[in-house]
Amino acid sequence: MKRNLAYVLLLMLAAVASCSFTNKNFENDDKDKLLLDLITYVLEKGHYEPKSLNDDFSVHVFEDFIDVIDPTKRYFLASDIAEFEKYKYQIDDEIKNTDITFFNVVHERLIQRMNDAKEIYKEVLETPFDYSENESISIKYDEEPFAANREELKERWRKQLKYATLGTYDSKISKIENGEVDGAEGDDSKVAKTPKEAEEASRKSTEATLDEFFDFVGDLERKDWFVQYINTIVDEFDPHTFYFAPEEKEKFDTSMSGKFEGIGARLQKKPEGAKIVEIISGGPVWRDQRLEVGDEIIKVGQNGEEPINIVGMRLDDAIKLIKGAQGTVVDLTVRKVDGSLDVVSLTRDVVELEESYAKSANIIKGQEKFGIINLPKFYVDFNDYSERNAATDVAKEVERLKEEGMEGLILDLRDNGGGSLKTVVEMAGLFIKDGPIVQVRSKDKGKDVYDDKDERIQWDGPLVILVNELSASASEILAAAMQDYKRAVVIGSKQTFGKGTVQNVIPLNNMLRSNEHGDLGAIKITTQKFYRINGGSTQLEGVKSDIIVPDRYSYIDLGERDQSNPLGWDKITPADYKPWDGYIDYEKTIADSKKRMANSPQIKLIEENAKWLKAEQDETEISLNYDTYKEEKIKDKEQSDYFKKLTDYDSKLTFQSLGYEEELFTKDSVLREKRNRWHKNLAKDVYVEEAVNVLEDLKMNNIKQGKLASVKN
């Protein structure tokens, strides 16, 4: 019998909490040690696949913590690392004994080396950069050794600062060549009129940026660095297990409620900057359209002020610079996916919740009418399921589309990062009679099968599901179930994101009888894995599309497999299910689609673009010679402009809002503008065009068999 997921989790967490009262006393007066003790206990008792605290674990924590706090190797010397080495195999023992000696030693030396770095960058920036010299810098920092001495470290800083200054220098030279005024209006002291002055002004700009950076870092307290150490330990378990310090827990709660204040993007730390890994529907980034997944933010400026370079900065600190009050402006210097640099100014805002909800449109092709539903995430109000949720909204849109005469349906799950498991089960039930949808397994327990028990079918006509590399979690459950039932054709990337795990948040204060240290924050911990009804996990492998269509991310690692310490793929016994009626000729439909794709000039251009982007990302040796830099920049610009014709594509399909929305437009011009923009983008979307072609094929197959019950005559 299916059990309610929330109830199962509640029982599991209650068991963990009760264990803390009966089997373990947390009486450490040192808050840091108490925190370490609490978290490691919860990980041991509650994590789906707890790690053994042994020498291998110790080595990973050692290497990862050093990498987190000095990713570009511009602080520590090789002698520091050699000194730290004596702790390399002892961290596991320290954790067991609630000892934080390793952290204390590294933190103390880091502060010392950061103070040294302030002197070094000042010295470096006193000397002009020679941009006629033929030299380069490797940005593959993980392959570089630590500097042997101060002289070698200074040389590393020189190259890094020359690289950081090169873009500013180029901008000033371009303004001189174009006769533009550089600097504040009416302030001749800031105007660079010659290459020499441009070089000097660029160095001054870089120095001002570093001054601000070190002022910012200088405000960090020891507890901020300790949280980073704790999360290094936590991250060894899997990429979705995370410790929230009290203020971060508050932000997490806010985000879960659907209110995202900032720019509306999720970031991942990279040595070269903060990489955009998800764009939140309705946010400033989403509305602006100039940034995309894979872009890396390297500098952050506040409303026209000198930007701060965030390369090498802790991700939490970079995010603090990027976030801000609603209505304020942030200037982001970005290295685009194609390698070009751009400055994008965004006005911070609260994400519009409405854009996270399901929306639909009619697709007109000749005398045929199809429907498309876009679902950005599987949303739900956990406090009141009867409130608006993804399953009931999609059901409404399906019914509205049926009333307007759709002959086939496209469910667009591209960029959908998941959400509520309950809504997935209910949504899948809209398209099948009944049966299992997903299997869930908890730590050291058997599996639970989540079924659709409602025999009603909302839509039994042709169905296509669109996915890409960023379709994750709940999206993968739905796509996998429809694929296993042979109910829908899945079109998209070679595979989806590959997140097959379930997390839960545990407040650490709940683990204590009494607490004199105030709020201790919470830990988000992986407690379960889910599996397809055929028994296979979606972890790492994701869902493989029936019809693979290349996109610009085809050769770039963006999925779970690119995260740190992901759980592995495995399988369990299949659930008891029967595939769909079998009247759809999948093999012929897929074969016909592949033929169309092979002959499509737009698809060939997309493939070409994807390969170029991969080559650009693999280029880690950067020339510091200005003439070479300019030549490469021009080539990149030409290539980037060449691929811009991708956006000129016209599918010749017509998209129309449904009747109920047309009525709303008379009172809501903003909604009309949003829908017009969406329809314009859909008309350029070759994936939607191919989905319509597949629906036509499925419709023909169904009509021949006399099975298309849902289409109006």
Side-chain angles (χ1 to χ4, degrees), residues 365-459:
K365 183 178 182 181
Q367 300 301 310
E368 298 175 302
K369 180 180 285 189
F370 302 97
I372 183 169
I373 299 176
N374 175 265
L375 186 68
K377 65 180 181 180
F378 288 81
Y379 49 88
V380 67
D381 186 336
F382 287 103
N383 296 318
D384 185 358
Y385 193 81
S386 64
E387 286 293 314
R388 190 169 193 179
N389 67 74
T392 54
D393 279 2
V394 167
K396 288 177 184 176
E397 296 305 320
V398 169
E399 199 58 35
R400 287 164 171 164
L401 287 164
K402 283 169 61 179
E403 289 173 358
E404 300 207 6
M406 78 164 168
E407 301 171 59
L409 174 64
I410 301 168
L411 184 57
D412 190 352
L413 301 181
R414 290 175 296 178
D415 299 336
N416 185 320
S420 164
L421 186 61
K422 183 177 180 180
T423 60
V424 180
V425 176
E426 291 193 6
M427 198 179 300
L430 301 176
F431 309 112
I432 63 170
K433 182 181 177 184
D434 56 19
I437 304 301
V438 65
Q439 305 185 93
V440 178
R441 188 166 70 174
S442 302
K443 176 187 175 184
D444 300 328
K445 293 182 180 178
K447 67 179 185 181
D448 289 299
V449 180
Y450 293 79
D451 300 279
D452 166 47
K453 296 183 180 297
D454 189 341
E455 294 189 357
R456 291 174 297 177
I457 304 175
Q458 190 89 6
W459 174 252

Side-chain angles (χ1 to χ4, degrees), residues 582-626:
Y583 54 81
I584 295 175
D585 190 343
Y586 269 91
E587 287 69 26
K588 185 177 186 307
T589 299
I590 291 170
D592 289 346
S593 177
K594 287 180 178 178
K595 287 178 185 176
R596 285 190 294 268
M597 294 293 93
N599 295 320
S600 167
Q602 181 76 348
I603 292 298
K604 290 177 181 177
L605 187 61
I606 291 170
E607 177 85 6
E608 186 183 349
N609 185 29
K611 290 179 178 178
W612 177 68
L613 290 175
K614 174 62 173 174
E616 288 293 296
Q617 289 213 341
D618 288 345
E619 184 59 60
T620 57
E621 195 72 23
I622 309 296
S623 175
L624 298 178
N625 175 278
Y626 181 61

Side-chain angles (χ1 to χ4, degrees), residues 657-668 671-672:
S657 289
L658 277 63
Y660 82 98
E661 278 199 337
E662 293 285 354
E663 294 177 7
L664 295 175
F665 291 161
T666 59
K667 298 180 180 179
D668 192 342
L671 179 63
R672 178 192 293 274

Side-chain angles (χ1 to χ4, degrees), residues 205-258:
S205 175
T206 297
E207 184 175 11
T209 295
L210 281 169
D211 288 343
E212 288 193 46
F213 172 80
F214 277 93
D215 284 346
F216 181 83
V217 173
D219 289 337
L220 296 176
E221 300 178 30
R222 180 186 178 282
K223 65 178 182 179
D224 298 315
W225 294 106
F226 187 70
V227 167
Q228 196 68 55
Y229 177 59
I230 287 290
N231 266 320
T232 303
I233 295 172
V234 167
D235 190 59
E236 301 300 332
F237 285 74
D238 80 286
H240 307 289
T241 295
F242 186 83
Y243 167 66
F244 294 100
E247 66 174 36
E248 293 303 317
K249 173 61 168 60
E250 187 176 331
K251 291 176 184 176
F252 176 77
D253 290 340
T254 300
S255 71
M256 288 299 287
S257 72

